[in-house]
Amino acid sequence: MARAKRASDERYNARRRAKRLLQRLEREDTSAMSRNERAARASYIQSIRDQIAETYQERKGTRQTIAASADKAQQASKRLDRQTRPVREQPTARKRANLLFERQMNLARNQQPSTLGRYGAAEVSVFYAATRLAWRGRDPKKRNEYIMQALGVDSLQDAFAQVLAQNRRAVRRLSRELNASMLVSDTETDETFQAGSELDSERIGSPTWEPFVNIIRF
């Protein structure tokens, strides 16, 4: 008779799946990727390594401290699985690269540290404002897919760069407003790893920057 599955088994399996994903990412050829895509990839790899370390429990101490450590490690393993599952489910390197870049966009939009830099929050909001004709009124979780399809590209980073190249004035204007007001959406988080939001991105912060947005006509 097979023994019952233990919490330690779940932690082990979460680590094993995460390590396999890291091995896959580290084997992939990144020579054709942009600097932003490589940075997003490196940031994700480091975050997963850090989370893997958190899934190990202390083996020494009192019964109470060991139990508390086991519970903490168990919660860490669940977070680890949530963070790796979306990437593990992507069938190609290109789709994985898009998802990792999207992760940085979500962090930036929440004014969290990201690889997009100091203007990241403004760039992401302007990006969605400028591409509203492609995604408005459609499934928000597929928003980035709609944008790439409309632009005829398969790289989210390429779409991002293409749109922002035509919207530098809007980025500068919104960046000043965000710095002054600190008004930014909190509807997306790193853990949810969401692709879109029901909120119209062009309405974040003061609307006075909207006239500077160059709406992309598809």
Side-chain angles (χ1 to χ4, degrees):
M1 181 176 179
R3 67 173 176 82
K5 191 174 183 179
R6 298 180 299 192
S8 58
D9 295 330
E10 296 178 4
R11 295 195 295 272
Y12 170 80
N13 288 331
R15 285 195 297 269
R16 178 174 55 85
R17 289 188 288 267
K19 289 178 180 179
R20 284 182 177 177
L21 173 61
L22 292 184
Q23 290 172 354
R24 176 188 295 178
L25 292 175
E26 291 167 343
R27 285 196 306 265
E28 288 177 348
D29 182 9
T30 62
S31 59
M33 293 184 182
S34 69
R35 181 181 64 179
N36 283 340
E37 287 177 323
R38 290 195 295 272
R41 184 189 197 84
S43 174
Y44 179 75
I45 288 173
Q46 185 58 54
S47 73
I48 295 305
R49 285 175 176 160
D50 292 343
Q51 290 180 62
I52 288 174
E54 293 177 2
T55 65
Y56 291 95
Q57 74 173 85
E58 295 290 339
R59 296 295 182 181
K60 296 181 180 180
T62 66
R63 180 179 300 179
Q64 290 79 8
T65 59
I66 292 175
S69 176
D71 182 65
K72 183 178 179 180
Q74 190 69 11
Q75 295 304 313
S77 71
K78 292 178 180 179
R79 289 195 302 273
L80 178 64
D81 239 10
R82 289 198 299 271
Q83 285 294 299
T84 59
R85 184 178 297 109
V87 184
R88 287 189 278 113
E89 291 175 347
Q90 300 307 308
T92 66
R94 169 43 52 201
K95 289 185 179 295
R96 286 189 287 275
N98 286 343
L99 194 59
L100 297 183
F101 186 73
E102 178 184 286
R103 176 177 181 264
Q104 295 302 317
M105 291 174 66
N106 290 342
L107 288 171
R109 188 161 180 248
N110 285 317
Q111 292 190 325
Q112 298 298 313
S114 79
T115 59
L116 298 185
R118 62 183 297 190
Y119 300 113
E123 288 179 338
V124 173
S125 292
V126 169
F127 173 71
Y128 288 122
T131 56
R132 70 186 76 165
L133 296 182
W135 58 264
R136 178 173 281 173
R138 306 174 75 180
D139 184 352
K141 292 183 179 180
K142 297 182 179 180
R143 181 171 54 176
N144 290 332
E145 294 179 28
Y146 299 140
I147 295 170
M148 287 187 287
Q149 290 170 4
L151 291 171
V153 299
D154 65 356
S155 164
L156 179 58
Q157 196 279 330
D158 286 351
F160 192 70
Q162 182 177 328
V163 171
L164 291 182
Q166 304 178 52
N167 281 279
R168 289 303 174 191
R169 290 184 65 195
V171 169
R172 288 194 295 269
R173 182 66 179 244
L174 177 55
S175 182
R176 287 197 296 267
E177 294 184 6
L178 288 177
N179 287 337
S181 67
M182 298 300 289
L183 293 176
V184 67
S185 167
D186 62 355
T187 58
E188 295 171 321
T189 65
D190 183 28
E191 283 201 2
T192 55
F193 223 161
Q194 292 298 314
S197 165
E198 295 289 353
L199 184 65
D200 280 353
S201 298
E202 67 273 16
R203 293 293 177 180
I204 295 176
S206 169
T208 61
W209 61 274
E210 290 184 30
F212 295 90
V213 175
N214 179 21
I215 306 296
I216 306 300
R217 309 291 173 179
F218 300 100

